[in-house]
Amino acid sequence: MINFNGTLVAKETAIFGVENRGFKYGDGLFETIKVEEGKVRFMEDHYFRLMASMRMIRMEIPMTFTLDFVEAEIMKTVEANGLNNARVRFSVYRSSGGLYTPDNNTIEYVVEASHLIVQIASKYEVDIFKDFYVYSGLLSTVKSTNKLTNVLAATYAAENGLDNCILMNEQKKVVEFTNGNLFLVKGNEIFTPSLTEGCVKGIVRKKIVEASGLIEGYSIKEASISPFDLQKADELFMTNAIIGIQPITKYRKKLFSTSVSEKIKEKLAILV
């Protein structure tokens, strides 16, 4: 079952027409949300990121779209699918009508819930995707439905026997992975690309940056990171809302340890 504007319908139900703006223009947003033991993880953070993104792209936010309403819609969908642990996608798109200029800014939404699968790989090899760039700036920080660069990078990774790819911006600076934020450990400092580089405002990224005091002996900094910095790093790891932390074990010929990322993974369980 899926949740279409508050109504539960069969997953096979045709709910979109050819005029759907998410399909025609990528005029939509989404949140990928983890539900564990019947509880939405980081619900407030997901909600406020969604609201901020909707405001940024000038969507009209319904008065009913409170935090409690969004959480209830998520759980209604999870329970309708008989799940206690779920991977949820909450998609919002501008209502049909218009060309590049929309006829209106009202929204519709779809909630999907599937069985939660969390797999942390013991070996994880990555490389940089160079064919296309993520452009720096705040628009790239929202989770829009326009993710063609990520799709191409993920396809490149699969074709070349890699587990993931690192995206760069037009200034040849490191931005993020195809499906998560990037962290680099060097000495007793932990770095992550700043939002001005064009990385998504990741929920787990936010929690780690805010919780630097919980990681004894290490400071966390937002910075501009070059591909050369990756070669000099002691560790790399990826974060997203589903897996939490995935240590990187190999970048090109460089092998990494995982001790710091393992410690941070333990701390992350506290930050719910």
Side-chain angles (χ1 to χ4, degrees):
M1 302 291 286
I2 61 173
N3 181 336
F4 177 52
N5 292 329
T7 302
L8 293 169
V9 298
K11 186 177 182 180
E12 298 76 20
T13 304
I15 59 174
F16 297 141
V18 71
E19 293 299 318
N20 178 270
R21 294 189 61 85
F23 164 70
K24 295 189 84 168
Y25 303 111
D27 190 4
L29 304 166
F30 71 98
E31 290 286 323
T32 305
I33 300 165
K34 186 178 186 179
V35 175
E36 284 186 307
E37 300 301 323
K39 182 179 179 181
V40 183
R41 294 207 68 186
F42 308 128
M43 182 64 226
E44 287 192 4
D45 296 283
H46 282 292
Y47 174 76
F48 287 117
R49 180 173 68 174
L50 179 61
M51 295 302 104
S53 298
M54 290 173 71
R55 290 189 190 98
M56 183 185 293
I57 67 171
R58 293 177 169 80
M59 285 180 168
E60 183 179 310
I61 302 175
M63 293 295 292
T64 57
F65 252 51
T66 64
L67 189 154
D68 289 342
F69 172 83
V70 173
E71 184 172 17
E73 291 298 283
I74 290 170
M75 291 310 302
K76 179 168 73 175
T77 312
V78 170
E79 291 164 5
N81 285 279
L83 301 170
N84 196 39
N85 300 301
R87 178 190 181 107
V88 174
R89 176 171 167 134
F90 195 111
S91 302
V92 177
Y93 54 93
R94 210 180 314 260
S95 299
S96 299
L99 300 175
Y100 285 133
T101 304
D103 284 346
N104 63 81
N105 292 312
T106 60
I107 61 97
E108 298 183 53
Y109 65 93
V110 177
V111 190
E112 305 164 74
S114 59
H115 180 63
L116 178 66
I117 300 174
V118 180
Q119 294 179 323
I120 308 297
S122 58
K123 294 183 179 180
Y124 203 86
E125 183 177 353
V126 303
D127 203 345
I128 286 180
F129 180 65
K130 298 180 179 179
D131 292 356
F132 300 98
Y133 302 120
V134 172
Y135 285 89
S136 58
L138 291 180
L139 188 59
S140 293
T141 66
V142 305
K143 292 197 72 172
S144 77
T145 54
N146 184 352
K147 290 293 181 184
L148 189 56
T149 303
N150 303 64
V151 170
L152 293 174
T155 302
Y156 174 88
E159 291 174 347
N160 289 275
L162 301 167
D163 295 294
N164 211 328
C165 274
I166 297 169
L167 306 179
M168 294 192 298
N169 63 24
E170 78 283 4
Q171 299 170 19
K172 307 292 179 69
K173 298 296 184 180
V174 170
V175 176
E176 60 193 358
F177 291 97
T178 61
N179 62 332
N181 291 106
L182 180 146
F183 284 82
L184 176 158
V185 182
K186 179 63 177 176
N188 64 348
E189 294 182 309
I190 302 170
F191 300 93
T192 190
S194 62
L195 295 178
T196 54
E197 301 291 343
C199 64
V200 167
K201 290 182 180 178
I203 300 301
V204 177
R205 174 193 182 277
K206 175 176 179 287
K207 290 298 184 183
I208 292 175
V209 169
E210 291 177 347
S212 57
L214 291 178
I215 306 162
E216 187 177 354
Y218 289 87
S219 62
I220 298 178
K221 298 179 180 179
E222 297 178 83
S224 177
I225 298 174
S226 72
F228 183 62
D229 293 325
L230 302 179
Q231 296 280 9
K232 297 188 295 181
D234 299 321
E235 291 190 34
L236 290 179
F237 61 92
M238 178 184 75
T239 66
N240 67 38
I242 300 299
I243 64 168
I245 293 177
Q246 170 63 62
I248 310 302
T249 56
K250 186 177 181 182
Y251 164 66
R252 296 187 175 175
K253 295 182 179 180
K254 178 68 183 279
L255 300 177
F256 298 105
S257 63
T258 63
S259 58
V260 176
S261 56
E262 294 292 342
K263 291 177 182 177
I264 297 175
K265 189 190 302 184
E266 295 175 5
K267 298 291 186 181
L268 187 63
I270 304 171
L271 308 177
V272 180

